Amino acid sequence: MTDLVVRRLLVDMEAPIARHWCAGDAFRTALFNALSMSFPFGEQFFIDSVRNGFKELSPEQQERFRAEVQGFVGQEATHRRLHALYNAHLDAHGLVNAWEPRARERMKRIEGQDVRHWLGITAANEHFTAIFADFMLHNADLLGDQDPRLATLWLWHSAEESEHKTTAFDLYQALGGSHAWRITWMRRVTFFFLIDALRQTFNNLRRDGTLWRWSTWKSGFSYLFGQRGLVRLTYGPWREYFRGDFHPRQQDASASVRWLREHSDQFVPVGQAVAA
Ligand SMILES: [Fe+2]
Ligand SMILES: [Fe+2]
């Protein structure tokens, strides 16, 4: 079982966000903003999946998972709250969140279906999030230093995603979720996640007026496919999910542990007093 701490991040998300807060880079800013737009709805879906999955467990299994599920829900609830504040600044920039209504509409199709489907979708998304989180933690400099507050928000979120990456997966397994469905959901989630992330990034760039700049495409290519490119470095870890004996624990989480240890002045565990 994983010991999950809920942390209150000591950043001021009320203060405005600069238009190109990420190192003055239009592409990276638009991509991170797109991902942030997906979180309030997406993370609520993950919370609901895990809560409903927990209810289906036997009393003995519930005892095993109780603390972990509470930690998971607390972490995701905190993430979605801070990203909602972040997204309010994006509204003020004139950006429009088209990802959320699309995802909301799509998810209506699984309403009332076996909770293992919900958990299969959540486990696949959590794998995506965990490998992206590990990439972020290893390439923290790519967040730039123009807005340390947002860099901290992304790295804290990444560290906690890495921390709780086994929860939905373990619940799926505990409820007897099959390998075949796990793989099917990963294929579908990958398809929709990539399409949605790209569409929203383009949408953000178009509204920002930077879509057709050479520098935007150059940065996009480098961030995705360059020497330290996101796609290049996460493709291998993504593919591991398809193995029959895969478990998220097999993937290295030391970057998360290190970040949390080295940045303990940036947050307080919930329920503890803030140090003066
Ligand atoms: Fe999260
Ligand atoms: Fe998560």
Side-chain angles (χ1 to χ4, degrees):
M1 289 296 97
T2 316
D3 213 4
L4 298 175
V5 178
V6 181
R7 303 172 181 88
R8 188 159 62 80
L9 196 62
L10 303 174
V11 295
D12 173 19
M13 287 307 298
E14 303 287 344
I17 290 175
R19 207 169 179 83
H20 296 152
W21 62 265
C22 183
D25 184 300
F27 178 82
R28 275 184 270 156
T29 301
L31 174 64
F32 292 138
N33 290 349
L35 294 173
S36 182
M37 288 170 169
S38 77
F39 291 143
F41 174 75
E43 297 189 308
Q44 186 60 51
F45 177 85
F46 306 156
I47 289 172
D48 293 343
S49 304
V50 163
R51 269 198 185 130
N52 292 336
F54 178 77
K55 287 184 198 151
E56 299 286 318
L57 295 172
S58 68
E60 301 78 51
Q61 285 176 315
Q62 286 193 348
E63 270 330 293
R64 235 182 77 214
F65 277 99
R66 191 177 305 279
E68 181 176 348
V69 163
Q70 271 173 8
F72 178 93
V73 169
Q75 288 191 343
E76 293 292 38
T78 316
H79 300 167
R80 64 187 298 282
R81 196 170 52 76
L82 287 191
H83 279 278
L85 291 172
Y86 173 167
N87 295 348
H89 295 300
L90 303 181
D91 293 342
H93 289 181
L95 302 183
V96 175
N97 187 348
W99 188 338
E100 177 172 323
R102 214 164 37 236
R104 198 179 286 282
E105 199 51 42
R106 194 180 299 136
M107 288 311 178
K108 281 188 185 157
R109 287 187 231 156
I110 63 150
E111 263 170 29
Q113 294 218 21
D114 192 313
V115 73
R116 286 173 294 189
H117 287 312
W118 289 56
L119 282 168
I121 294 169
T122 301
N125 273 289
E126 288 283 278
H127 181 61
F128 244 100
T129 318
I131 58 177
F132 180 59
D134 199 52
F135 170 85
M136 294 275 267
L137 289 161
H138 280 104
N139 296 280
D141 58 307
L142 296 178
L143 285 162
D145 52 12
Q146 292 190 8
D147 193 334
R149 179 185 51 144
L150 280 191
T152 300
L153 171 78
W154 280 103
L155 295 171
W156 158 79
H157 193 165
S158 296
E160 291 194 349
E161 286 304 324
S162 181
E163 221 178 16
H164 72 224
K165 65 185 176 183
T166 57
T167 307
F169 188 97
D170 284 340
L171 277 170
Y172 179 80
Q173 305 282 66
L175 288 167
S178 73
H179 175 71
W181 269 111
R182 179 165 75 74
I183 297 313
T184 299
W185 282 122
M186 179 46 113
R187 289 213 177 95
R188 292 180 187 173
V189 164
T190 299
F191 176 78
F192 286 116
F193 180 84
L194 294 180
I195 299 277
D196 284 336
L198 278 178
R199 281 180 77 174
Q200 189 63 54
T201 302
F202 277 96
N203 189 328
N204 291 351
L205 287 167
R206 188 168 54 77
R207 289 178 195 275
D208 181 43
T210 46
L211 178 58
W212 297 114
R213 284 198 194 153
W214 170 244
S215 57
T216 301
W217 288 78
K218 195 169 157 226
S219 162
F221 187 83
S222 156
Y223 187 73
L224 298 175
F225 307 108
Q227 206 58 41
R228 286 200 288 154
L230 174 63
V231 174
R232 182 193 280 253
L233 296 182
T234 56
Y235 177 70
W238 168 79
R239 226 179 41 177
E240 284 180 31
Y241 195 83
F242 293 88
R243 283 198 341 252
D245 63 349
F246 172 79
H247 189 280
R249 202 182 304 112
Q250 294 157 354
Q251 297 194 322
D252 180 41
S254 56
S256 157
V257 175
R258 193 166 51 245
W259 191 89
L260 290 168
R261 193 179 54 231
E262 290 173 0
H263 297 84
S264 57
D265 57 334
Q266 307 277 359
F267 52 78
V268 279
V270 170
Q272 290 189 6
V274 185

